[in-house]
Amino acid sequence: MKKTIIEYFESTVKKYPHNTAVADSDTLITYEALGDIAKNIACQIANQQIRKKPIALFMKRSAYLPAAMMSVLYSGNFYVVLDYESPQQRIEKILNTLSPAMIIYETEYQDVVDTFDDHILKFSFEKALETNQRDDRVIEKIQREATSGDPAYALFTSGSTGVPKGALLTNLNVISYIHWLINCFNINSNTVFGSQTSLYFSMSVSDFFGSMFTGAAYHIIPKAYFTFPAKLISFMDERKINTIYWVPSALGIVAKFDLFRYCLPKTLEKVLFAGEVMPVKYLNYWKKYLPDVLYANLFGPTETTDICSYYIVDREFEETQSLPIGVPCDNCELLLIDEDGKEILDDSIGELYVSSPFVASGYYCNQEKTNEAFVQNPLHNNYREIVYKTGDLVHKNKYGELEYVGRKDFQIKHLGYRIEPSEIETVLNTVDHVDLTVCLYDKEADRLLLAYESQKDLTSELNEASQNLLPQYMRPSEFHQFSIFPKNANGKIDRKEIVKTILEKK
């Protein structure tokens, strides 16, 4: 096993110099060209005497962003991709936590970058691209001194207090995880990814580094195609995309617009999904039109690099059922722990703990939150074994597969009963003409609310279904129609925005 991401990338460049590495709608960069760009900019970063420091990237989602990411890794530092569309306040909170040594930006964002702390070194990507300071001796020295434990990147999650937390992932985390991914799903130089997710989102780790390690092609699908998807299938066909890894909401857009009735992707072989619960009605739509494609439900938090369990769909499911999250990834141990810190060995619900080299080092500059989530294995004190408490509630089904029940912090206590909102959503998703549902809890009034996505007012139908299919304590008292649910920057349903919209209506 090689010790750094760069060593794997270098091997790929030597084997597949002329393969497409990254591409967007306008730009295509081969592996050889990507290596040249990254090494040149890395030498310019190294000239600033920066080592093992965070470097923020303020760039749009294009083929040049991966070049900037790889340049930071070549320089012996770690990167943080910022969401340029985020509110200024959130960006400033991240920068305050991060205290980056440098920010690499595109000149179109000059005005925003000028507002950042003057102590941060500002570095124009375009100017760096035009400047030639490449010195392979500098790169070789940095890589000789590198270790697998060096940080590779940090990804900032929302944080329950509103303060973003930066999960810090090392080279070893990425290498261990990508080894599982490429072996499990046969990712190789013939794989052509169609990427839906942003590069500041943990799901991007899989298809991006899966490409960099194997010589696969990484095609960035324009975000607009998921809002107005008329061009989505033609883009996939033009690029000969055979593998996608999307959030279920993105897959649901295809079903909602009934795109496959008019045209089918010609080269698609694998459909992977994660990030949210996958409604079975969406999966069944895809399977109806593309029955020979491999479908897999992947599950895991940012703190496990990306994924810790998976289920390759191997049987039929009714719309009232939930998809399993399956079995542990190779090199990953999953524990179900009860409220007393004991291991659950039957089909009872417990919190999921993860022990694996996939598990992050903790949260950058946040020892308090790190200590809360990254803990000694509660099953023993014989030696130091740090495991990650996911906050996810799961149980085993009759097949021995794990099933996701919900978030520990989403669990509702209503009318004396413990309720998982996902159970209500699964049942009411089956009502005709309902695209999707989100169950919410009004704690002050102790009542359940249901937001639903549909072009029709289905209040009476949903109310009737809840009366017939749900026990009294699980029946919503209000139903709120949305023609389309608001999405966050990752393409996932934005529950906070749904709550805000409902409150504004009152």
Side-chain angles (χ1 to χ4, degrees):
M1 185 183 288
K2 298 175 178 64
K3 67 177 181 177
T4 64
I5 292 168
I6 290 300
E7 286 186 358
Y8 282 92
F9 177 69
E10 290 267 280
S11 177
T12 299
V13 172
K14 287 176 184 175
K15 289 180 184 176
Y16 310 106
H18 305 302
N19 277 22
T20 296
V22 294
D24 55 33
S25 54
D26 303 313
T27 305
L28 185 151
I29 304 174
T30 66
Y31 276 99
E32 185 175 57
L34 184 63
D36 290 341
I37 293 169
K39 286 179 182 179
N40 178 33
I41 297 177
C43 288
Q44 296 176 57
I45 297 171
N47 287 343
Q48 303 298 322
Q49 306 302 312
I50 300 170
R51 181 79 171 88
K52 291 190 181 182
K53 299 291 185 183
I55 294 180
L57 304 178
F58 201 72
M59 299 172 64
K60 61 180 173 290
R61 183 173 171 260
S62 75
Y64 285 113
L65 178 52
M69 292 158 58
M70 297 306 292
S71 72
V72 173
L73 294 178
Y74 263 115
S75 75
N77 295 285
F78 66 96
Y79 64 81
V80 177
V81 179
L82 299 174
D83 175 11
Y84 61 92
E85 294 182 320
S86 271
Q88 181 87 2
Q89 186 179 31
R90 174 176 166 81
I91 294 170
E92 288 175 356
K93 284 180 179 179
I94 291 174
L95 292 177
N96 287 340
T97 299
L98 196 63
S99 296
M102 174 187 287
I103 183 164
I104 299 176
Y105 67 96
E106 288 173 312
T107 52
E108 64 184 280
Y109 305 119
Q110 184 74 57
D111 291 345
V112 178
V113 171
D114 284 344
T115 67
F116 298 157
D117 194 321
D118 290 337
H119 292 99
I120 303 173
L121 183 62
K122 317 285 174 60
F123 201 70
S124 163
F125 180 80
E126 289 91 340
K127 289 180 182 177
L129 206 56
E130 295 167 359
T131 304
N132 185 7
Q133 291 186 8
R134 177 170 169 177
D135 185 341
D136 285 350
R137 293 171 301 178
V138 172
I139 298 295
E140 289 165 5
K141 182 177 185 296
I142 291 170
Q143 292 307 310
R144 275 198 311 273
E145 296 172 353
T147 73
S148 59
D150 288 346
Y153 61 86
L155 286 174
F156 278 79
T157 59
S158 58
S160 57
T161 61
V163 179
K165 298 180 296 183
L168 187 67
L169 285 301
T170 67
N171 280 261
L172 180 60
N173 293 147
V174 175
I175 291 166
S176 302
Y177 171 70
I178 296 299
H179 265 283
W180 165 77
L181 179 81
I182 61 181
N183 288 325
C184 184
F185 295 109
N186 191 28
I187 307 302
N188 55 54
S189 60
N190 296 315
T191 300
V192 183
F193 281 109
S195 173
Q196 173 259 326
T197 57
S198 301
L199 283 155
Y200 53 77
F201 182 34
S202 62
M203 279 179 64
S204 68
V205 172
S206 294
D207 45 13
F208 177 65
F209 283 117
S211 299
M212 298 302 102
F213 278 46
T214 63
Y218 178 80
H219 288 269
I220 297 171
I221 301 175
K223 187 176 179 180
Y225 291 2
F226 291 95
T227 306
F228 305 100
K231 295 181 179 179
L232 180 61
I233 306 301
S234 60
F235 181 90
M236 293 171 69
D237 288 343
E238 288 166 11
R239 302 300 177 94
K240 295 181 170 55
I241 288 167
N242 57 33
T243 306
I244 60 173
Y245 178 36
W246 297 353
V247 294
S249 299
L251 294 167
I253 287 168
V254 172
K256 183 176 180 180
F257 284 91
D258 199 8
L259 286 184
F260 289 163
R261 178 193 272 186
Y262 309 103
C263 55
L264 293 173
K266 297 181 177 67
T267 56
L268 198 58
E269 298 172 0
K270 299 183 183 81
V271 174
L272 316 179
F273 43 89
E276 309 172 290
V277 172
M278 174 61 148
V280 171
K281 64 163 61 177
Y282 291 166
L283 174 65
N284 287 346
Y285 178 88
W286 280 71
K287 287 182 69 181
K288 173 185 173 182
Y289 286 98
L290 299 169
D292 298 325
V293 166
L294 178 145
Y295 297 92
N297 187 24
L298 278 57
F299 177 87
T302 300
E303 291 84 352
T304 63
T305 309
D306 184 18
I307 296 303
C308 61
S309 75
Y310 71 105
Y311 170 65
I312 296 175
V313 179
D314 60 357
R315 60 184 185 270
E316 298 300 315
F317 289 87
E318 299 294 329
E319 290 186 3
T320 53
Q321 295 179 289
S322 298
L323 283 181
I325 60 172
V327 297
C329 302
D330 187 39
N331 208 12
C332 206
E333 182 183 16
L334 303 182
L335 307 171
L336 271 63
I337 305 297
D338 66 18
E339 293 182 355
D340 298 321
K342 306 296 184 184
E343 185 174 16
I344 294 172
L345 298 175
D346 56 18
D347 61 357
S348 301
I349 295 171
E351 183 177 0
L352 187 68
Y353 286 51
V354 185
S355 175
S356 173
F358 300 4
V359 171
S361 297
Y363 300 116
Y364 190 73
C365 283
N366 194 335
Q367 197 60 51
E368 180 183 352
K369 291 297 180 184
T370 296
N371 292 341
E372 288 176 8
F374 298 84
V375 300
Q376 172 64 29
N377 186 332
L379 303 182
H380 73 83
N381 283 308
N382 303 322
Y383 56 89
R384 188 173 184 267
E385 182 188 3
I386 300 300
V387 297
Y388 175 65
K389 293 174 60 176
T390 66
D392 294 310
L393 298 174
V394 301
H395 73 98
K396 286 185 179 178
N397 63 20
K398 63 181 181 180
Y399 300 99
E401 302 156 342
L402 294 174
E403 288 190 351
Y404 175 75
V405 176
R407 288 287 302 165
K408 196 173 181 180
D409 46 7
F410 283 0
Q411 195 176 59
I412 293 166
K413 187 75 174 294
H414 174 56
L415 300 177
Y417 295 90
R418 288 194 181 277
I419 298 171
E420 301 299 337
S422 60
E423 293 181 30
I424 299 170
E425 294 165 1
T426 297
V427 170
L428 297 183
N429 275 343
T430 63
V431 173
D432 287 344
H433 306 296
V434 168
D435 294 317
L436 212 56
T437 61
V438 172
C439 183
L440 306 165
Y441 180 55
D442 181 351
K443 190 173 182 179
E444 289 185 10
D446 190 22
R447 59 180 181 166
L448 297 171
L449 312 177
L450 191 89
Y452 66 95
E453 187 178 89
S454 179
Q455 300 306 308
K456 298 182 178 183
D457 181 350
L458 299 171
T459 298
S460 60
E461 290 87 341
L462 285 163
N463 186 50
E464 183 180 353
S466 66
Q467 297 291 326
N468 293 334
L469 302 173
L470 294 169
Q472 185 176 2
Y473 63 88
M474 292 178 71
R475 295 171 189 165
S477 59
E478 285 186 13
F479 301 89
H480 297 269
Q481 180 191 1
F482 287 71
S483 58
I484 187 165
F485 280 146
K487 308 291 194 302
N488 63 24
N490 300 328
K492 295 164 67 173
I493 293 166
D494 193 331
R495 287 175 174 262
K496 290 182 180 178
E497 193 62 31
I498 289 173
V499 171
K500 181 181 175 184
T501 302
I502 289 173
L503 291 175
E504 286 174 352
K505 287 181 182 178
K506 292 184 178 295

